[in-house]
Amino acid sequence: MNQSLLELFQNDPEAFLSGEEISRKLNCSRTAVWKQIQNLRKLGYEFEAVPRKGYRLVYQPAKLDPLKLADSLQTEMIGSSFRIYDQVDSTQNVAHELVRQGCPEGTVVLAEEQTSGRGRMGKKWLSPKGKGIWMSIVLKPHIPLKQTSQLTLLTAVALCRTLRQELGVAVGIKWPNDLLVDGLKVSGILLESSGEDDRLNYVVAGIGISVNMEADDFPEELDGKATSLRIVCGRPLDRIQIIRRFLEKFEELYLLYLQQGFSPIRTLWEALTISLNRPLRVKTYNGWVEGTAESIDDNGALTVKTRDGETMKLYSGDIQL
Ligand code: BTN
């Protein structure tokens, strides 16, 4: 029914269709029509409803189509292969499996929906259907294992610069890898790596961006903590365009990193972060650390001067500003 209802609107894109007309054409009740319109709205479709005229389809979300993504994508290696799924448990799991099967560096896995999206520090990552960008990128750089977290910061810089340039949104990076707008999280990054004898075999860089989620897509526990680009920009956004621009920026910075090392990335990160030179509390696996973050080091660790003057290096944690 969803599909036939959509086809009615798509066949006559400018027209208003009344509930009565639709129910006659689809041979169902008007209540069923209303319910289906509500369902489609939840999936990101937008209808204008005018009394005595009916409904008009004003926006339909683009599906993540590999041809559309590859069209005009200006990258050499990142996105050399796309794997796009309707539903997966986690794009990270799919990417790890593809590596085991020998996929090339730059393979990008995307899903419309994740049923077990995962975040850092054992948290779940909300990934509703069609509403965001749930993506994993396979990387195989020849770097020592201990430098892997540099790639987390590189990913955050690429995404932050993309969203600023493409949407004009004032995004900042919260160490190590959250992207915030006005203190609310719009994106998170999860790097998972495999290596042996200090040598990195491969990395899966997982990127979650809450693009077109609306306020009621977020559970209560994320009130005052998370938002979406759509809420911030006040309009639905084209995921495909964001993915293309991000992959281009990512490749540019990744190649720079492979040629010149971490130093230029660190400079960019420091210019975009909201975490340095201010008092903060960090929840680590070993308890809370309070102080002022002064810098990040070559391994992406946060250097914090605690209240009693001690300097500590933090390799992972959750900052509370
Ligand atoms: C975090 O902020 O805790 C990191 C969130 C990372 C979420 C992304 S969505 C795509 C990829 N697949 C996952 O299961 N997680 C990452």
Side-chain angles (χ1 to χ4, degrees):
M1 157 100 170
N2 260 347
Q3 196 48 41
S4 354
L5 180 63
L6 266 182
E7 276 165 15
L8 281 184
F9 284 103
Q10 285 161 343
N11 290 342
D12 206 347
E14 293 303 310
F16 279 93
L17 299 175
S18 70
E20 191 186 331
E21 193 180 347
I22 301 170
S23 67
R24 201 166 4 92
K25 286 189 170 150
L26 298 182
N27 197 19
C28 63
S29 70
R30 287 178 64 173
T31 318
V33 171
W34 182 82
K35 275 193 186 149
Q36 285 312 313
I37 296 232
Q38 297 311 105
N39 279 345
L40 287 169
R41 280 184 164 141
K42 282 199 192 118
L43 294 174
Y45 291 84
E46 290 193 9
F47 294 88
E48 184 185 356
V50 174
R52 284 185 293 282
K53 280 175 97 175
Y55 301 98
R56 191 163 68 97
L57 179 62
V58 288
Y59 175 80
Q60 37 186 337
K63 272 199 86 173
L64 297 172
D65 173 341
L67 289 177
K68 279 197 196 138
L69 271 170
D71 181 39
S72 85
L73 177 68
Q74 312 270 324
T75 58
E76 294 285 323
M77 182 261 288
I78 303 292
S80 52
S81 161
F82 280 107
R83 299 297 186 104
I84 303 181
Y85 302 85
D86 262 342
Q87 190 190 67
V88 294
D89 52 359
S90 156
T91 55
Q92 295 292 95
N93 294 347
V94 176
H96 287 294
E97 181 52 36
L98 289 172
V99 173
R100 280 191 280 277
Q101 294 169 11
C103 76
E105 180 172 42
T107 298
V108 173
V109 181
L110 282 151
E112 293 287 351
E113 178 181 16
Q114 297 186 116
T115 50
S116 304
R118 58 177 176 269
R120 289 172 54 243
M121 302 182 88
K123 289 187 191 148
K124 288 191 180 139
W125 183 260
L126 182 69
S127 322
K129 185 174 177 140
K131 296 272 177 135
I133 297 173
W134 325 126
M135 168 166 66
S136 298
I137 307 176
V138 174
L139 301 170
K140 301 180 178 178
H142 299 290
I143 58 170
L145 198 54
K146 66 174 191 314
Q147 287 174 12
T148 310
S149 54
Q150 296 176 344
L151 294 169
T152 308
L153 305 186
L154 184 156
T155 310
V157 170
L159 190 52
C160 190
R161 295 190 84 190
T162 305
L163 299 180
R164 284 181 172 212
Q165 284 167 10
E166 198 58 28
L167 305 173
V169 175
V171 193
I173 305 173
K174 189 178 99 166
W175 180 86
N177 51 9
D178 287 351
L179 293 198
L180 307 192
V181 181
D182 291 333
L184 303 175
K185 180 159 169 171
V186 288
S187 169
I189 294 160
L190 173 72
L191 238 79
E192 293 174 338
S193 58
S194 147
E196 55 198 299
D197 299 335
D198 293 343
R199 203 97 222 126
L200 181 66
N201 286 336
Y202 75 90
V203 168
V204 175
I207 296 119
I209 316 172
S210 305
V211 180
N212 282 327
M213 286 154 78
E214 294 172 83
D216 60 7
D217 289 317
F218 291 99
E220 225 171 86
E221 69 258 27
L222 292 181
D223 268 5
K225 291 189 177 151
T227 189
S228 74
L229 294 172
R230 177 190 179 138
I231 295 171
V232 172
C233 297
R235 64 191 159 90
L237 298 165
D238 180 356
R239 289 178 301 165
I240 292 180
Q241 181 67 359
I242 297 173
I243 296 169
R244 272 202 216 110
R245 295 289 92 87
F246 166 70
L247 295 178
E248 288 165 5
K249 182 60 70 189
F250 185 88
E251 180 169 283
E252 181 192 320
L253 294 178
Y254 184 58
L255 295 179
L256 177 74
Y257 170 78
L258 294 180
Q259 283 160 9
Q260 297 183 21
F262 184 53
S263 172
I265 306 300
R266 185 190 358 211
T267 309
L268 292 171
W269 189 90
E270 284 172 351
L272 296 170
T273 189
I274 52 167
S275 299
L276 293 184
N277 305 315
R278 60 196 282 189
L280 39 76
R281 297 177 79 218
V282 189
K283 188 177 175 191
T284 73
Y285 285 113
N286 302 320
W288 287 93
V289 173
E290 286 188 42
T292 303
E294 296 189 319
S295 59
I296 47 163
D297 75 4
D298 271 353
N299 296 323
L302 190 71
T303 310
V304 179
K305 182 99 164 248
T306 62
R307 286 199 184 140
D308 46 19
E310 194 191 339
T311 299
M312 289 184 79
K313 284 199 178 211
L314 304 183
Y315 290 88
S316 66
D318 250 342
I319 291 186
Q320 295 206 338
L321 295 170

